[in-house]
Amino acid sequence: MIDYRVSPVDPPGHEFEIRLRVAAPNPAGQVFALPAWIPGSYMIRDFARNLLDVRATCGGEPVPLVKLDKQTWQAGPCAGTLEVRYRVYANDLSVRSAFLDVTRGYFNGPSVFLRAVGHDGACALSILPPPGGSGADWRVATALTADEVDAAGFGRYLAADYAALIDNPVEMACFERLEFTAAGVPHAVVLSGRQRCDGDRLKNDLAAICAEHVGFFGELPQMSQYLFLVLALGEGYYGGLEHRECCSLICDRGDLPAPGMAQPSEGYRRFLGLCSHEYFHLWNVKRILPEVLQRPDLSREVHTAQLWAFEGITSYYDDLALLRSGRIDLPAYLGMLAQTVTRVMRGGGRLRQSVAESSFDAWTKFYRQDENAPNAIVSYYAKGALVAFGLDMTLRQMTGERVSLDDLMRALWRRHGLTGVGVPEGGIERVAADLARGDLGQFFADFVHGTVELPLERWFEGLGIGYRLRAAGKPDDLGGVVEQVLPVKAERVLGARFAAAGELSQLTHVYGGGAAHAAGLAAGDRLVAIDGIQAKADGLAARVAALPDDRPSLVHALRRDELMTFSLSPAAAPQDTCDLWLLDDAVLSAPQRRRREAWQASCTAPVDTLA
């Protein structure tokens, strides 16, 4: 057994001290390695850059520790117990790494725990409280198996192997804990950070959503508990990462349900969708997963073209579960879906990169976006969700409602999730074809491996839902659900995103084919004046909309330190904003009505499954 110990450094700053002991090290020289990335987040993060003062001793005597590469060390020969000590700089508030200050401590295993190469058995982890009396009110929250811990949770935990050790993040803070049960298994929400939350509402809503997902698959994966580790911060924070028995979440504290809130706010719906997304990953990603990601090499990129399904299908069901569980109504759900359509349609990259290519290139493109990203890439989350919606509608239509995407996911659970057999490349396509007893080759060729525009109008029509694309009425118009289909004036726009840069407006992204692109402007340019009048970011959109249309406007801009002149002719806003609406019941056909009812029906009742 490899024995690890974590201790916050005194005084609590931004460093953890880590110690690990190997009782039977490799006599030729034990090798240690730190992961370069964390499962579920497909980018090389080079966690080893945060390791400090790495030292080794054998029987209390120093032994050489040679660095072999950026994340690998080899100790000298040792005939007894080998101990390695080091510190980790912990100042990353994200769900992927480690953080420590006087308010809380948090770490995700891949960012802090060296792996003793060749020792793949059980691990023990001792978590020590902050020394010197600081953090006296802190408690520990983790899904690791407790062995010997005190009332606050500090002490010794066990993991079956290194993979299990690094798949269980640890939260240390003075947090609020909300408990509920789903499928007979204890669940808890651990809330850290300053917040004012209606705890009863949150745990009741999450209990309903968890029950919906359990009903969907017919069972909860085997586990002793499940934790939602939530950090509430200020405006602009949002993210999540899935694990086998928990998830780590960061949210804007304003997204949590306020006491007395009548209807779910937009922020609260978004937060519930995030929780739903990570919980669905219990099945889809943590147990149903690509073959190449079952025991991935965490020292380098591991490519798969299937992330569109594992993240996109999950992104389809996360909000749909809010509807099916009764947390939101159908108009609210359609409003969220319309905004997803808008986000996809506003990126020209959807016509240049398929969702399969986006999946494969996540390491270098999706997770490393630059100023040209909207023109070059597509999100396998957002467009993947729309492809999942289309696959659901296609399966229902071609099988006369005998098979849906629900059935496909349950089949994947039985064939791969329960058996531990990874999904090979193309495996989802083959299971779908088997269930449908038909040819789905053109669907996958066009919409997964190709860039053919999605026939969204046809897919929505099958549910008795109206669909249109129109020009945005104002800069923050993302579309939504409407009761009346009214004309919207197409404003003249710059065709670029911009932000304030002191007294100037700096272009952050320039859309291919837009007015700024046609004028020769580029991302990074700082607008000085339009037609001789200073161009400030505040009010720039309205300023552009009001420019004369009978002649080009003269734009002065700084590119690097050079003043340049451009001729700008603003163009009408593109037709990229989605509206959805429910067609009147009187005009619905019987098949449309049945399909809509089946599509939004709760799965908490027992479901029939296909072999």
Side-chain angles (χ1 to χ4, degrees):
M1 176 179 288
I2 307 299
D3 188 26
Y4 292 85
R5 186 184 72 183
V6 176
S7 175
V9 172
D10 185 27
H14 291 302
E15 290 185 14
F16 286 107
E17 183 176 73
I18 312 294
R19 185 208 70 189
L20 67 146
R21 289 176 174 169
V22 184
N26 186 332
Q30 180 62 51
V31 174
F32 298 92
L34 193 73
W37 61 281
I38 183 169
S41 185
Y42 307 103
M43 186 175 85
I44 296 297
R45 299 189 182 276
D46 290 329
F47 295 123
R49 73 187 189 277
N50 291 320
L51 267 59
L52 308 166
D53 307 327
V54 187
R55 304 180 304 277
T57 58
C58 179
E61 296 298 321
V63 296
L65 194 63
V66 178
K67 197 167 187 177
L68 303 181
D69 59 32
K70 64 181 180 179
Q71 60 208 23
T72 311
W73 293 258
Q74 184 171 24
C78 175
T81 297
L82 179 64
E83 180 175 287
V84 176
R85 289 175 179 258
Y86 55 94
R87 291 189 174 189
V88 176
Y89 179 65
N91 193 24
D92 184 345
L93 276 170
S94 78
V95 296
R96 298 174 295 271
S97 191
F99 180 84
L100 178 68
D101 70 0
V102 296
T103 65
R104 67 184 284 266
Y106 171 89
F107 57 84
N108 224 319
S111 70
V112 298
F113 293 132
L114 285 171
R115 177 173 68 94
V117 177
H119 295 266
D120 298 321
C123 301
L125 171 63
S126 296
I127 304 172
L128 276 61
S134 61
D137 57 352
W138 285 12
R139 293 184 290 163
V140 173
T142 180
L144 284 165
T145 300
D147 182 31
E148 295 181 14
V149 302
D150 63 19
F154 290 101
R156 179 181 165 94
Y157 293 83
L158 302 177
D161 52 23
Y162 179 80
L165 175 71
I166 65 172
D167 197 30
N168 283 285
V170 173
E171 176 78 17
M172 296 181 286
C174 178
F175 50 70
E176 182 179 359
R177 185 181 177 105
L178 310 172
E179 298 181 342
F180 63 94
T181 300
V185 173
H187 286 52
V189 183
V190 173
L191 283 172
S192 294
R194 296 181 180 181
Q195 45 78 25
R196 182 171 173 265
C197 172
D198 183 342
D200 287 339
R201 177 167 191 158
L202 177 57
K203 68 182 182 181
N204 289 339
D205 286 344
L206 286 181
I209 293 166
C210 293
E212 186 63 41
H213 287 313
V214 173
F216 180 93
F217 284 102
E219 60 185 314
L220 186 67
Q222 186 174 2
M223 64 183 70
S224 60
Q225 63 175 319
Y226 186 86
L227 300 179
F228 294 91
L229 302 175
V230 182
L231 173 61
L233 295 172
E235 184 177 355
Y237 286 96
Y238 179 85
L241 189 64
E242 69 276 4
H243 300 278
R244 282 182 69 88
E245 296 186 15
C246 66
C247 63
S248 285
L249 309 170
I250 295 181
C251 71
D252 181 335
R253 64 175 60 92
D255 289 348
L256 296 173
M261 183 176 68
Q263 294 297 323
S265 65
E266 182 177 350
Y268 184 45
R269 290 196 300 265
R270 179 177 59 190
F271 176 69
L272 288 178
L274 177 63
C275 295
S276 177
H277 183 100
E278 304 306 341
Y279 197 74
F280 194 85
H281 275 324
L282 272 178
W283 296 268
N284 193 36
V285 166
K286 297 310 297 184
R287 289 160 178 87
I288 309 167
L289 74 165
E291 191 173 57
V292 296
L293 292 178
Q294 284 193 294
R295 286 282 180 172
D297 182 348
L298 297 179
S299 70
R300 62 177 181 84
E301 297 95 334
V302 179
H303 297 279
T304 174
Q306 299 186 88
L307 296 182
W308 71 268
F310 290 94
E311 292 294 353
I313 291 177
T314 302
S315 296
Y316 171 54
Y317 279 112
D318 56 17
D319 290 339
L320 186 56
L322 307 189
L323 171 65
R324 287 177 168 181
S325 64
R327 301 308 97 187
I328 60 175
D329 60 17
L330 183 54
Y333 171 72
L334 293 181
M336 299 167 77
L337 187 54
Q339 292 190 8
T340 298
V341 174
T342 299
R343 286 193 292 270
V344 172
M345 297 306 294
R346 288 188 179 172
R350 75 185 191 282
L351 303 175
R352 306 182 76 173
Q353 184 188 53
S354 70
V355 289
E357 291 169 332
S358 177
S359 302
F360 196 89
D361 292 334
W363 302 89
T364 54
K365 293 189 176 182
F366 184 75
Y367 275 94
R368 293 186 179 274
Q369 296 189 26
D370 58 19
E371 70 281 354
N372 194 47
N375 304 316
I377 69 173
V378 69
S379 168
Y380 56 79
Y381 284 85
K383 188 176 179 183
L386 298 183
V387 171
F389 168 65
L391 181 56
D392 194 4
M393 296 305 106
T394 299
L395 287 170
R396 291 174 187 271
Q397 189 274 330
M398 72 181 294
T399 66
E401 310 303 321
R402 179 179 61 85
V403 176
S404 70
L405 187 61
D406 299 5
D407 299 302
L408 173 58
M409 293 310 300
R410 289 191 280 265
L412 290 170
W413 170 242
R414 290 189 305 279
R415 299 185 190 189
H416 296 282
L418 288 173
T419 63
V421 176
V423 181
E425 300 296 311
I428 292 174
E429 290 93 319
R430 290 190 287 274
V431 175
D434 288 346
L435 291 177
R437 301 172 195 163
D439 184 7
L440 287 163
Q442 197 62 52
F443 179 95
F444 288 103
D446 287 348
F447 308 131
V448 173
H449 300 282
T451 58
V452 176
E453 201 76 278
L454 303 180
L456 292 167
E457 184 172 13
R458 186 179 78 226
W459 292 342
F460 280 115
E461 183 183 12
L463 292 169
I465 296 170
Y467 165 88
R468 74 166 177 178
L469 290 177
R470 57 166 175 80
K474 52 185 179 179
D476 60 350
D477 182 3
L478 293 176
V481 66
V482 296
E483 295 183 0
Q484 287 184 291
V485 184
L486 301 174
V488 176
K489 179 183 177 182
E491 297 285 354
R492 290 152 54 77
V493 296
L494 185 59
R497 297 183 201 167
F498 52 86
E503 290 292 312
L504 306 180
S505 302
Q506 184 167 32
L507 303 185
T508 59
H509 302 80
V510 172
Y511 298 120
H517 180 257
L521 289 160
D525 289 350
R526 288 163 291 155
L527 305 187
V528 176
I530 301 176
D531 286 339
I533 299 176
Q534 185 178 2
K536 295 183 178 181
D538 184 21
L540 182 60
R543 173 92 179 277
V544 171
L547 290 176
D549 56 11
D550 57 348
R551 61 171 177 81
S553 292
L554 187 65
V555 175
H556 288 88
L558 283 169
R559 179 170 296 174
R560 299 177 295 276
D561 60 350
E562 302 171 25
L563 185 64
M564 304 181 71
T565 304
F566 302 90
S567 179
L568 175 72
S569 297
Q575 305 288 309
D576 59 9
T577 305
C578 176
D579 283 336
L580 298 175
W581 62 93
L582 291 170
L583 298 179
D584 190 272
D585 284 348
V587 302
L588 293 185
S589 66
Q592 284 175 315
R593 189 174 290 106
R594 287 194 300 269
R595 182 173 301 167
R596 187 196 288 179
E597 290 174 353
W599 171 66
Q600 63 179 325
S602 174
C603 296
T604 53
V607 294
D608 293 329
T609 56
L610 301 177

